[in-house]
């Protein structure tokens, strides 16, 4: 059997779980508020400041307290993605998230780990905040408008539109 | 050595229980923009439905009133030219009745000329007169 680290990311499962969570939360129209979703599955979200070396942390999940900590200094459209990403770890990788192998989410993308867990959490976040069935109604709009409607950054909206429609 | 999580949790300096303004503001702006966009989409869809209802089946094929006459004239020109060509070909192949088929081709060409006259006559009518 191959090591979990060498396994390919399971994007289909990430999408399936994100859609299931949206349906359970009764959210069918944008914007998706990830704080509301976190509360529906019993996860608290705390907005905090970090000091010292951890100033660059965007967010992290603490499975012991079932809390997601989000950097208060980030823009709102980045906080939505951070919470959705950490929710991905909670939903997809609960056991792994308890281990020492878990990595926090950094504001600087170059510092970020790029293993399968992070890729799956990113896919989960993209599907949670911008699910295809919601984005379909806005595919003709400019990316800047789509980003505002879905409360995500232009980068996230651009990647998502490119992935879904090649634009 | 402490894990990244332990280090970050140890570096937490302030906590607020409620949503901070950045996320709240982003969600609130997104909600109102999504609502406005939905209303625009509904208005647009309604306008298209009304227009289709006004046009009827004839209008859907030939366009709204201002364009319908021109579209029909162009169809007459195209059909007339094809018919004239076809009739001349029949006249060429059918030696005994060639005069008859050639006459029919001239009638088709007459329709083409009339339709063209209408198109260009209307074009000059639509142009405002020079002062």
């Amino acid at each position: 059997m191959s090591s979990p680290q060498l396994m390919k990311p399971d994007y289909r499962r990430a999408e399936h779980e994100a859609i299931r969570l949206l349906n359970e939360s009764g959210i069918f129209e944008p914007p998706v508020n990830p704080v509301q979703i976190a509360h529906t599955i019993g996860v608290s979200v705390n907005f905090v400041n970090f000091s010292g070396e951890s100033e660059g942390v965007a967010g992290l999940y603490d499975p012991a307290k079932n809390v997601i900590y989000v950097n208060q200094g980030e823009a709102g459209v980045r906080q939505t993605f951070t919470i959705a990403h950490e929710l991905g770890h909670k939903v997809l990788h609960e056991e792994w998230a308890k281990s020492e192998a878990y990595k926090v989410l950094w504001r600087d993308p170059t510092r970020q780990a790029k293993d399968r867990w992070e890729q799956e959490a990113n896919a989960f976040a993209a599907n949670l905040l911008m699910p295809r069935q919601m984005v379909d109604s806005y595919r003709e709009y400019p990316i800047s408008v789509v980003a505002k409607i879905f409360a995500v950054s232009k980068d996230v909206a651009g990647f998502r539109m490119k992935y879904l429609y090649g634009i | 050595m402490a894990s990244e999580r332990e280090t970050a949790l140890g570096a937490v300096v302030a906590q607020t229980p409620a949503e901070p303004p950045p996320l709240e503001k982003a969600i609130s702006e997104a909600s109102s923009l999504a609502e406005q966009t939905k209303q625009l989409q509904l208005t647009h869809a309604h306008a298209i439905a009304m227009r289709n209802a006004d046009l009827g089946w004839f209008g859907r094929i030939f366009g709204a009133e201002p364009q319908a006459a021109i579209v029909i004239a162009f169809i007459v020109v195209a059909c007339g030219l094809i018919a004239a060509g076809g009739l001349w070909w029949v006249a060429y192949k059918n030696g005994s009745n060639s005069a008859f088929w050639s006459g029919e081709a001239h009638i088709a060409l007459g329709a083409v000329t009339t339709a063209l006259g209408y198109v260009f006559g209307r074009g000059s009518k639509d142009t405002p007169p020079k002062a």
Side-chain angles (χ1 to χ4, degrees), chain A residues 30-31 35 46-51 54 60-61 63 69 72 76 79 83 97-100 102-104 106 137-138 141 148-149, chain B residues 1-9 11-20 22-23 26-27 29-31 33-34 37-38 41:
Chain A
V35 176
N46 284 357
F47 295 89
V48 299
N49 289 319
F50 295 97
S51 63
S54 300
L60 70 140
Y61 172 54
Y69 293 93
Q72 200 164 225
Q79 288 176 337
I83 298 165
K98 287 176 186 167
S99 73
E100 294 281 306
Y102 169 84
K103 298 277 184 279
V104 302
W106 293 92
S137 309
Y138 300 94
Y141 289 77
K148 278 184 185 165
I149 289 173
Chain B
M1 200 178 124
S3 70
E4 271 190 3
R5 175 169 33 222
E6 285 164 356
T7 309
L9 286 174
V12 170
V13 290
Q15 281 191 227
T16 50
E19 284 181 31
L23 187 134
I27 295 288
E29 282 175 1
S31 294
L33 185 59
T37 312
K38 210 81 199 165
Q41 284 175 338

Side-chain angles (χ1 to χ4, degrees), chain A residues 10-139:
Chain A
D10 190 348
Y11 295 124
R12 190 169 288 187
R13 180 168 168 250
E15 180 179 0
H16 177 81
E17 289 298 321
I19 301 301
R20 183 184 60 78
L21 207 50
L22 282 170
N23 290 338
E24 278 179 17
S25 306
I27 299 174
F28 305 105
E29 295 284 338
V32 175
N33 186 345
V35 176
Q36 186 190 332
I37 292 179
H39 289 162
T40 60
I41 57 168
V43 177
S44 303
V45 179
N46 284 357
F47 295 89
V48 299
N49 289 319
F50 295 97
S51 63
E53 271 183 35
S54 300
E55 259 183 354
V57 170
L60 70 140
Y61 172 54
D62 181 1
K65 292 182 182 163
N66 214 13
V67 173
I68 289 171
Y69 293 93
V70 186
N71 193 322
Q72 200 164 225
E74 286 235 285
V77 291
R78 301 230 10 207
Q79 288 176 337
T80 53
F81 188 84
T82 299
I83 298 165
H85 175 97
E86 293 306 324
L87 276 175
H89 286 315
K90 154 78 182 167
V91 173
L92 303 170
H93 321 120
E94 178 88 72
E95 284 308 311
W96 170 84
K98 287 176 186 167
S99 73
E100 294 281 306
Y102 169 84
K103 298 277 184 279
V104 302
L105 185 67
W106 293 92
R107 296 167 85 163
D108 177 4
T110 57
R111 283 193 75 172
Q112 195 54 48
K114 290 174 178 67
D115 53 37
R116 67 169 269 246
W117 292 282
E118 297 307 323
Q119 289 180 44
E120 284 178 359
N122 283 340
F124 176 90
N127 281 288
L128 189 77
L129 298 174
M130 297 184 71
R132 183 191 284 270
Q133 65 265 41
M134 285 189 205
V135 184
D136 276 349
S137 309
Y138 300 94
R139 62 180 294 184

Side-chain angles (χ1 to χ4, degrees), chain B residues 59-121:
Chain B
R60 265 178 246 175
I61 297 167
F62 296 111
E65 204 180 341
Q67 298 94 37
I70 295 288
V71 170
I72 292 167
F74 272 112
I75 290 170
V76 170
V77 169
C79 292
L81 284 174
I82 292 165
L87 289 164
W88 271 322
W89 186 79
V90 172
Y92 171 72
K93 286 283 174 188
N94 198 337
S96 57
N97 284 327
S98 66
F100 169 77
W101 292 113
S102 182
E104 295 297 309
H106 279 102
I107 292 169
L109 217 53
V112 170
T113 315
T114 309
L116 274 175
Y118 172 78
V119 171
F120 286 105

